Amino acid sequence: MKKILLINPPESGIGGRTSPPLGLLYLAAMFPEKDYALEIYDGVILGWEKLLQKINDYKPAIVGITCFTPSRAQVIKLVKIIKERDKSIYIVVGGIHPTIMGEQLLANCPAIDFLVCGEGEYTFKNLCNTLLSGQLDNLPNIDGIAYRHDKNIIFNKKRLPTKNLDLIPFPRWDLINIDDYSKILFPVKKIKINTSGGKIFYVIFSRGCVGQCSFCSVWSFWGGYYHRRPENMMAELQYLYNTYNARNIIFGDDCFTADKEAIAKLCDLIIKNNLKIIFKCSTRTDLLDEELIAKLKKAGCYEIAFGVESGDASILKSLDKKNTLDNTAKTFALLKKYGILSTAMMIIGNIGENYKTINNTIRFLKKIKPDVVASDRGLQILPGTKSYYYCKNKGYMTDDFWLSDKPYKLFDFEFSPNLLEVFEFAVKKQIYLTPWEYFNYIYIFSLRFILRKWRGLMIKIGS
């Protein structure tokens, strides 16, 4: 039986942490064990050396690799190594980066044979069946793939998303060791709930998002928002609870409570079935009300993360957040009332940022008092976003950037990296910036920047 190997590339985790490769687990679920030989290899956990040994020993006919924009350099490195070792292996790359930048990827990386663009489950299965059967004449009939033919790059018809997510089988958790992830996921903090012996599992209730924020590529990939039936989600939770002792759940949805009625029903099912779990999720502050927050708490929700981004109304407007600071303040107050932890995810250094907007952000954070402030220094520019098209139209960057090995571009075109450090420092320390302090900190951080460069140069000379 010919073999399929699904790979999460090495060095694609963030800050030493990673989560289970849920997309690959969903892909694997499309291939019944009795009919296919398939394994998953997570390079983030096991590294390059073991991965290359695995490829040599397993001898797959098809390798499928997931590719996010920040890890595209690792993917390109990996596919080149695989092709150098065995040219007969079909290499298929899927995910958000090949979906948005597919033509550039195929034009510049001949080691890639096929791209899966958009939702992957049915597309990848159809492609594998075609390749394994040798019926290559069927390639033009597979929606959602891209490939080369006679030196031309071919994009087949787009595959429409599966709106009925209940049709997609539950992820194949049996193909990975969940303990590998429980050790490195973010720990549960500040809650008096005993989770000893329980394992952490990622699940998703929905795909896509109802928002279209200017910096986010989710809409470009999914093209909308759709979710499972609460009963189907409950069945998966029950399965994980009984089979794997799952007690700590992380909902990986981009916008968990977009359909408040559906989430309320899911909470009712968790409560009715006496499922003793705790969970965290992410959503928008304008998609919660007190009744739903009370149900979430009763069902086991201990933390909710929100993309607050900024405490300045003009910045929120430029980000197309389509939300208000009042909504956010009310929601954070309700979370405190019901004892649910809050995380405010912030972007420090947005388009149009200055010391006044930073002061407004500091003032707002002091008002809402989140339990956790998770901040990014600088706006991350990613392909397929309005922010990227803004930068292209301004002449700040071109598509050639995505051929570099840098994970993403920080928006530092209208202010220096030193200024981004000042902004981040002020927000973290919650220090208001007066005009005098503003220029004083720029001077201090500029000196630090020069010293770092000088030390780096001395180290190079010394070696």
Side-chain angles (χ1 to χ4, degrees):
M1 187 181 293
K2 292 184 178 180
K3 300 171 183 177
I4 301 169
L5 182 61
L6 301 180
I7 298 176
N8 192 31
E11 301 175 21
S12 57
I14 300 174
R17 293 187 173 98
T18 189
S19 57
L22 197 56
L24 297 184
L25 299 181
Y26 267 110
L27 286 183
M30 302 297 292
F31 297 84
E33 192 173 359
K34 63 182 178 64
D35 299 323
Y36 298 89
L38 182 147
E39 291 189 17
I40 291 177
Y41 190 97
D42 193 341
V44 178
I45 298 293
L46 298 170
W48 284 102
E49 185 176 345
K50 290 183 179 179
L51 169 58
L52 299 179
Q53 188 61 50
K54 178 67 176 181
I55 294 169
N56 285 340
D57 295 343
Y58 190 61
K59 294 180 171 52
I62 300 172
V63 168
I65 306 171
T66 189
C67 181
F68 294 95
T69 294
S71 61
R72 69 194 182 282
Q74 287 81 7
V75 172
I76 291 171
K77 175 183 176 181
L78 176 58
V79 299
K80 287 179 179 178
I81 293 173
I82 294 172
K83 276 295 184 185
E84 287 171 359
R85 295 188 172 210
D86 189 344
K87 288 182 169 47
S88 70
I89 296 175
Y90 287 115
I91 297 178
V92 184
V93 177
I96 196 161
H97 190 74
T99 297
I100 297 172
M101 299 298 297
E103 186 164 1
Q104 183 189 69
L105 204 55
L106 283 176
N108 290 277
C109 188
I112 297 174
D113 296 303
F114 298 94
L115 300 180
V116 169
C117 303
E119 183 184 272
E121 287 87 358
Y122 290 101
T123 302
F124 185 65
K125 184 175 183 180
N126 290 347
L127 177 58
C128 286
N129 285 341
T130 295
L131 297 178
L132 293 175
S133 66
Q135 298 175 345
L136 301 187
D137 290 344
N138 187 50
L139 288 174
N141 300 320
I142 303 174
D143 292 348
I145 66 169
Y147 54 100
R148 296 180 205 84
H149 180 68
D150 292 338
K151 297 184 180 180
N152 295 316
I153 295 175
I154 307 296
F155 280 84
N156 285 1
K157 178 183 173 184
K158 289 184 179 179
R159 178 179 293 279
L160 295 176
T162 304
K163 298 296 178 68
N164 183 1
L165 296 180
D166 294 0
L167 297 174
I168 298 176
F170 296 162
R172 285 284 304 278
W173 289 99
D174 60 296
L175 292 175
I176 63 170
N177 180 8
I178 189 61
D179 289 333
D180 289 338
Y181 303 90
S182 296
K183 296 170 187 173
I184 57 178
L185 285 168
F186 293 94
V188 179
K189 297 178 282 189
K190 298 185 182 179
I191 57 171
K192 298 177 181 179
I193 298 174
N194 182 12
T195 60
S196 60
K199 302 178 188 298
I200 303 173
F201 281 81
Y202 264 71
V203 298
I204 58 165
F205 177 68
S206 62
R207 292 180 173 180
C209 185
V210 294
Q212 296 185 50
C213 301
S214 63
F215 56 87
C216 183
S217 55
V218 167
W219 188 269
S220 297
F221 186 80
W222 295 113
Y225 170 85
Y226 34 103
H227 63 76
R228 304 157 67 172
R229 287 182 307 115
E231 293 84 358
N232 180 265
M233 184 75 255
M234 181 63 205
E236 182 180 352
L237 292 175
Q238 191 81 62
Y239 167 74
L240 295 174
Y241 189 89
N242 294 333
T243 308
Y244 295 101
N245 193 29
R247 297 296 183 268
N248 190 348
I249 303 296
I250 298 176
F251 282 94
D253 303 55
D254 292 294
C255 196
F256 183 57
T257 63
D259 187 330
K260 292 192 285 186
E261 185 178 343
I263 296 302
K265 187 171 184 180
L266 175 60
C267 290
D268 288 339
L269 288 170
I270 292 172
I271 296 164
K272 180 182 176 182
N273 287 274
N274 198 31
L275 214 60
K276 299 297 183 182
I277 62 171
I278 60 170
F279 63 90
K280 63 190 291 186
C281 61
S282 301
T283 190
R284 291 170 56 100
T285 58
D286 57 344
L287 294 173
L288 281 171
D289 54 41
E290 184 164 5
E291 182 180 1
L292 183 54
I293 289 172
K295 280 197 175 185
L296 286 164
K297 174 67 176 180
K298 191 174 180 181
C301 181
Y302 68 89
E303 182 177 352
I304 303 178
F306 304 93
V308 176
E309 321 307 358
S310 173
D312 183 87
S314 66
I315 294 293
L316 292 184
K317 184 177 181 181
S318 73
L319 294 175
D320 287 338
K321 287 297 293 185
K322 295 182 174 60
N323 197 1
T324 67
L325 295 172
D326 284 343
N327 281 335
T328 299
K330 289 174 184 176
T331 298
F332 273 70
L334 285 171
L335 292 192
K336 291 190 182 301
K337 177 180 176 179
Y338 285 91
I340 297 177
L341 299 177
S342 60
T343 294
M345 297 182 288
M346 311 298 294
I347 300 174
I348 309 302
N350 292 287
I351 297 171
E353 198 88 83
N354 55 52
Y355 78 91
K356 293 180 181 178
T357 64
I358 289 294
N359 285 344
N360 285 339
T361 292
I362 294 168
R363 191 173 296 112
F364 187 67
L365 288 173
K366 287 185 175 183
K367 176 181 178 180
I368 63 174
K369 296 180 173 63
D371 294 288
V372 178
V373 176
S375 62
D376 284 332
R377 181 198 296 175
L379 176 66
Q380 296 179 6
I381 305 299
L382 295 169
T385 65
K386 297 175 189 174
S387 299
Y388 179 52
Y389 294 124
Y390 170 87
C391 291
K392 284 184 69 175
N393 290 336
K394 287 282 188 177
Y396 294 150
M397 60 188 297
T398 68
D399 286 345
D400 288 346
F401 178 83
W402 310 115
L403 297 175
S404 74
D405 58 1
K406 295 178 181 178
Y408 47 76
K409 177 63 182 173
L410 286 182
F411 184 81
D412 56 4
F413 306 105
E414 296 174 2
F415 32 72
S416 68
N418 299 330
L419 189 52
L420 286 179
E421 284 194 77
V422 173
F423 289 161
E424 183 186 37
F425 174 79
V427 172
K428 284 191 172 180
K429 300 295 184 181
Q430 297 204 348
I431 299 171
Y432 292 116
L433 294 172
T434 64
W436 184 87
E437 289 170 327
Y438 179 62
F439 289 109
N440 186 44
Y441 280 127
I442 291 175
Y443 174 73
I444 292 170
F445 279 94
S446 295
L447 285 178
R448 285 174 55 179
F449 176 78
I450 293 170
L451 283 172
R452 284 199 302 268
K453 290 289 186 182
W454 182 81
R455 286 172 186 156
L457 180 61
M458 291 300 101
I459 290 171
K460 284 184 178 179
I461 292 173
S463 61

